Amino acid sequence: MVLKQIMKDLWREWSWALFYTIVATMTLMAILYLSIGFSTVRKQSSSIKSFVDQKVVMFEIMETQMQPSPAKTDANKHQASDPSEMMNFLQKNLSKEGKAGSYFFIGNNGFIDAKYEQILILFGQYSNLTGLEYSSPMALFAPEANKEDVGTKLSVVGKEIQIVDTFGSDFSLFHPLSYFDAENPFWSKTLILCTRDLETVNRMFPTWNLSSEVLSRMVLVNPSDAEVDQLQHKFFDQYGKLYKGISTKDFTQTSTDPSMRAYKLFILFYTLSGFLLILLLLLNVIRMIEINIAEYTVHHLYGAPIRIIQRRVGGYVLALNILPIVGVIYVLVVNQMALWYFLPLVIAFILVLYLFSTSFVSKRIGTLNGLGNLRRDY
C-alpha cells in the first residue's frame, strides 16, 4: 500500500523527480571523479617537494617551428651517436659518483620467481629519490606481502642478488612526466632492482635497448649548468631533437599547480551546485507535503497511523536518491573503491533528509491541524 502511494507521489512529481535524479547523479559522480583526481594529484606533493628540495632537473622536448634551409640540410643531417660511447656516458653518470637517475619496467618473462609479474629497475640516483638505500652494487626490494624473503638471495636471469628489505606499502614512483601511486595494486606483484651498474644490467637483459629507455627517463640531481648542457647534447645525438633541461619546481608550476587549482575550482563549483540541489529538494518536499496535507490528514483521521504517512513521505525522498547512490557505487567500483568513505557519507546524508521529511510531515499534521486530541495512537 505504501509503495503504491510512493509511486503515486512520484508520478505526480514526475518532472521534478526526473530533473532531480539526473542532475543529482551527475553532480555526485562529478564531485567523486574530481575528488579522486585531486587526491591523486595531492599525493604527489611529497614526492614533488623531495624532487624540488634535491634540485632535480628533468628534460622535455622543445617544440620549434624553425626549419633548416635546403642548402644546409645535408650538412646538418643528424647522425646517431656511437652505441658504445653512449653506454660509457650512461655508465659513468649512473654510477655512485654520478648525478643521474632513471628507471625502467621489465615484464617477468621467466627472469625471476613466477610470483612477481614485473621488475622495476632503479638506476643511479633514482633509488635515493624514492627513499631506498643499499650499499652493494645491486640490491632487491620485495613488496610488503613478501617480507619473509628479506635476507635471502633471488636469482635474476641467473644472477644471485640479495633481497635487502621491503619497499613498504607507502612506496610510490614519481617522475615529472608520470606517477605511480602507492595504492596501485601492481606493487604487490613487483620486485624492485636497484643498481648503479648499467652495463651489467644490459648484459642481463640483452634483448632490451636499455640505453635508449634509460636515457628517455633520465633526471639529474643538483647538476651544474655544464652537466645539463652535456645531457641536452646527448639527447640530440640520440634522438635528433632538441631537449631542454627544466627544474622540477619550474615544471610543476606550469603543470601540477594549475591542475590542482582547476580541481579545487571544479570541486567547489559542483559542491555549491550540490548544496543548491539539496535546498531545492527540501523545498520540493515541503511543497509536496503542503499540497497533499489534506490527503494525509484524511488518511490519518480514517485510521492510517502517522508512521505510515511518514514512510510514504520518507520513501519518496529515498526513491529520488536511488539513482545517485547507484552512480556513486559505479564510480567507486571503476576506481577500485578509492575514497570508499564517500559512499557511507552520501547514505548518511540521505538518511538525514529522510528523517527531516518524516519529522516535518509528522509535526505538520499533528501540530498545525490540531489532531493530537483526535487520535489516541498519535
Side-chain angles (χ1 to χ4, degrees):
M1 183 64 179
V2 175
L3 181 60
K4 183 178 179 180
Q5 292 174 337
I6 293 174
M7 296 302 297
K8 178 182 177 181
D9 291 337
L10 289 172
W11 178 250
R12 284 177 177 176
E13 303 287 334
W14 71 267
S15 58
W16 159 255
L18 182 64
F19 167 79
Y20 173 80
T21 53
I22 293 177
V23 176
T25 302
M26 292 174 61
T27 302
L28 278 176
M29 291 178 70
I31 293 174
L32 188 52
Y33 266 121
L34 290 169
S35 299
I36 292 173
F38 178 72
S39 176
T40 301
V41 173
R42 189 176 56 182
K43 288 176 184 177
Q44 302 180 33
S45 60
S46 60
S47 298
I48 291 173
K49 185 178 184 303
S50 174
F51 272 53
V52 171
D53 292 342
Q54 298 184 67
K55 299 179 179 179
V56 175
V57 174
M58 59 158 289
F59 295 83
E60 62 177 2
I61 191 170
M62 294 177 60
E63 298 292 342
T64 175
Q65 300 298 324
M66 295 184 299
Q67 297 292 335
S69 62
K72 296 183 179 181
T73 300
D74 294 336
N76 295 336
K77 188 176 181 180
H78 165 69
Q79 294 180 354
S81 60
D82 179 60
S84 60
E85 180 185 348
M86 178 61 71
M87 180 60 69
N88 292 334
F89 170 81
L90 295 175
Q91 176 71 11
K92 177 183 177 181
N93 284 271
L94 293 171
S95 65
K96 188 175 183 179
E97 295 76 22
K99 295 183 178 181
S102 188
Y103 71 92
F104 183 55
F105 282 98
I106 294 181
N108 182 16
N109 296 322
F111 301 133
I112 52 176
D113 192 298
K115 64 183 176 182
Y116 299 107
E117 296 180 355
Q118 59 189 346
I119 308 171
L120 168 61
I121 307 178
L122 300 179
F123 295 96
Q125 295 294 329
Y126 229 95
S127 58
N128 296 330
L129 293 174
T130 57
L132 301 180
E133 299 180 356
Y134 64 103
S135 56
S136 56
M138 289 187 177
L140 292 174
F141 291 82
E144 194 72 25
N146 302 113
K147 59 183 178 181
E148 67 278 0
D149 294 337
V150 174
T152 63
K153 288 189 175 182
L154 186 66
S155 176
V156 181
V157 200
K159 185 177 181 61
E160 296 291 325
I161 305 175
Q162 186 174 12
I163 301 177
V164 297
D165 203 350
T166 62
F167 52 81
S169 58
D170 59 344
F171 179 85
S172 61
L173 181 66
F174 172 78
H175 185 276
L177 298 179
S178 60
Y179 177 67
F180 303 91
D181 64 79
E183 296 179 0
N184 199 311
F186 76 74
W187 287 123
S188 62
K189 300 291 184 179
T190 301
L191 185 70
I192 299 180
L193 170 62
C194 296
T195 180
R196 301 183 181 94
D197 188 355
L198 175 61
E199 290 182 343
T200 300
V201 176
N202 193 50
R203 289 193 296 268
M204 293 168 60
F205 304 97
T207 58
W208 292 90
N209 186 14
L210 286 184
S211 60
S212 178
E213 296 289 350
V214 168
L215 181 63
S216 64
R217 299 173 177 84
M218 184 171 287
V219 298
L220 295 178
V221 180
N222 194 20
S224 63
D225 292 341
E227 290 169 328
V228 173
D229 186 65
Q230 182 186 29
L231 189 51
Q232 287 178 161
H233 281 82
K234 289 296 180 181
F235 273 112
F236 182 77
D237 292 340
Q238 182 71 18
Y239 303 114
K241 297 180 180 179
L242 295 177
Y243 281 75
K244 177 185 178 182
I246 179 173
S247 67
T248 306
K249 182 178 181 180
D250 292 339
F251 178 80
T252 53
Q253 285 178 347
T254 59
S255 59
T256 307
D257 291 348
S259 297
M260 293 187 70
R261 287 194 296 269
Y263 274 119
K264 290 179 180 178
L265 181 61
F266 281 121
I267 290 175
L268 177 62
F269 170 77
Y270 280 105
T271 301
L272 293 177
S273 300
F275 279 120
L276 178 60
L277 198 62
I278 295 302
L279 177 61
L280 292 176
L281 172 63
L282 293 177
L283 292 176
N284 177 263
V285 171
I286 293 174
R287 182 185 64 83
M288 187 193 72
I289 292 175
E290 293 298 333
I291 291 175
N292 298 326
I293 191 66
E295 180 180 343
Y296 298 156
T297 303
V298 171
H299 286 179
H300 185 51
L301 288 174
Y302 279 84
I306 192 68
R307 63 179 180 273
I308 297 298
I309 300 175
Q310 288 177 316
R311 290 174 188 172
R312 175 180 175 178
V313 176
Y316 171 79
V317 173
L318 293 179
L320 289 178
N321 289 280
I322 290 177
L323 188 59
I325 292 178
V326 172
V328 169
I329 295 175
Y330 170 77
V331 174
L332 291 176
V333 171
V334 169
N335 290 275
Q336 300 173 343
M337 297 306 291
L339 300 183
W340 58 269
Y341 51 83
F342 196 85
L343 179 60
L345 287 177
V346 171
I347 294 176
F349 191 74
I350 292 174
L351 289 178
V352 171
L353 294 176
Y354 174 89
L355 293 175
F356 169 82
S357 61
T358 56
S359 176
F360 182 82
V361 71
S362 174
K363 291 180 180 179
R364 183 69 178 84
I365 294 176
T367 303
L368 299 182
N369 289 281
L371 298 179
N373 60 339
L374 298 179
R375 288 292 308 274
R376 293 183 179 181
D377 63 342
Y378 186 77

